[in-house]
Amino acid sequence: RERLADAASVYEGALRLQPIHEDALNNLGNALRQLGRLDGAKHAFERGLHANPLNTNLLLNAGQVYQDLGQLENTGRVAEEAFRLNPILIEASILRGSVAYAKGDLQEAITHYRSARAIDPAAQQPLLNLGNTLGDLYRSKEARVANQNEEARAEMQVLHRESVDVYEGMLRLRPDDAEAFLNMFWAKKYACDWSHWDTSMAQLRVMVRQQLERGKAPSLKPFLALAFPIPAALYLEIASAHAQEEAKKAVSLTAVHGHLTHSFTLLPPLPAAPGRGGRGG
């Protein structure tokens, strides 16, 4: 973080000498965004775009900041402009997909992610976004299936197959991709596809154990872990690792923003009422 702050200072110094320097403004915006100074990053990118509205790097980076700030219309506007300027720019298709997803148009988001995948079949981000969105669309069909809608049932089968294919494709590119494996396993479980269940469960336990031994919070989040038959001791290790990871993030935020005025200390739990046992947590 200190290096990012130093880099931002260097770029600001360069801009005092040459106020309109596209690369310096772009790099300053990226540094400020990583520091959490989103308004400053937005200002830097917009200054660069005022000088050169055709700079696709500035357009896409501005889109990321607009997205961080919840400015969906601005995000969509720069994503469309970047795509218009360069239709084979994979980041433009990904950003268009993110905008469609945020608007709740899952089918359009899938179309954009498929376009990004066609540009570069080996790129991981569009594959991950595509797989996740296919899963969301699959779940949206369930209500129709509950009402005995045969068309929705057929659509769900197609979505499930494509979703699993996407994650399997990611694993062929990177067999050690824990996120892809977990997403594939969850997609199959959610659709009651029990093929290779025992093998996948064994692989899941090995993956979690390896990540814990490396001091990394496992890709398997605590809440999701409840959906799998894993030992209680391993579940507690997963939860503890994620709690420690979140504590580190909180320390980092404190270093940047200081102690929050609304921070509080947790009170001890109340004693159990006479004659009633407490529920284990």
Side-chain angles (χ1 to χ4, degrees), residues 134 150 212 226 241:
L134 285 165
E150 292 301 323
L212 287 169
L226 290 169

Side-chain angles (χ1 to χ4, degrees), residues 46-274:
E46 288 179 343
R47 280 175 61 191
L49 287 170
H50 182 73
N52 181 7
L54 305 181
N55 187 317
T56 52
N57 286 332
L58 286 166
L59 282 167
L60 291 169
N61 287 331
Q64 295 288 349
V65 171
Y66 290 143
Q67 194 171 35
D68 294 341
L69 291 168
Q71 299 178 3
L72 197 58
E73 293 305 317
N74 282 337
T75 308
R77 174 177 55 79
V78 295
E80 292 301 324
E81 180 63 11
F83 181 78
R84 184 186 69 80
L85 292 169
N86 187 354
I88 62 171
L89 194 62
I90 190 171
E91 293 84 358
S93 289
I94 292 173
L95 191 57
R96 293 173 87 204
S98 298
V99 171
Y101 184 93
K103 290 181 176 179
D105 192 339
L106 302 186
Q107 194 61 65
E108 183 181 345
I110 287 170
T111 298
H112 293 315
Y113 294 143
R114 283 173 176 160
S115 296
R117 184 186 185 188
I119 294 168
D120 183 359
Q124 294 291 99
Q125 192 61 56
L127 285 171
L128 182 60
N129 290 1
L130 176 59
N132 291 342
T133 309
L134 285 165
D136 289 341
L137 187 58
Y138 176 95
R139 286 183 284 276
S140 75
K141 304 288 184 183
E142 284 187 311
R144 290 168 61 196
V145 169
N147 292 324
Q148 304 300 314
N149 188 308
E150 292 301 323
E151 179 184 354
R153 193 183 305 278
E155 290 172 354
M156 285 177 66
Q157 292 174 351
V158 172
L159 288 168
H160 166 63
R161 186 63 260 166
E162 184 177 1
S163 178
V164 171
D165 284 347
V166 167
Y167 295 130
E168 288 177 341
M170 293 178 71
L171 289 168
R172 283 192 294 272
L173 294 169
R174 286 173 50 187
D176 61 344
D177 190 328
E179 295 289 343
F181 167 74
L182 186 59
N183 286 335
M184 181 196 69
F185 194 14
W186 177 253
K188 295 177 77 171
K189 180 180 185 297
Y190 195 90
C192 298
D193 178 354
W194 309 113
S195 58
H196 311 296
W197 170 262
D198 291 338
T199 302
S200 295
M201 272 306 306
Q203 188 175 344
L204 177 67
R205 294 191 187 98
V206 170
M207 178 193 79
V208 169
R209 179 55 59 196
Q210 289 176 340
Q211 290 178 322
L212 287 169
E213 289 173 354
R214 293 199 301 265
K216 178 183 177 183
S219 301
L220 183 63
K221 305 295 191 294
F223 186 76
L224 187 59
L226 290 169
F228 292 95
I230 61 175
L234 181 58
Y235 175 79
L236 288 175
E237 286 189 70
I238 293 170
S240 176
H242 278 279
Q244 292 174 28
E245 184 70 20
E246 295 306 313
K248 291 177 185 176
K249 292 178 184 178
V251 170
S252 299
L253 286 173
T254 302
V256 176
H257 300 291
H259 291 284
L260 301 176
T261 56
H262 62 271
S263 61
F264 57 88
T265 303
L266 293 176
L267 297 175
L270 294 173

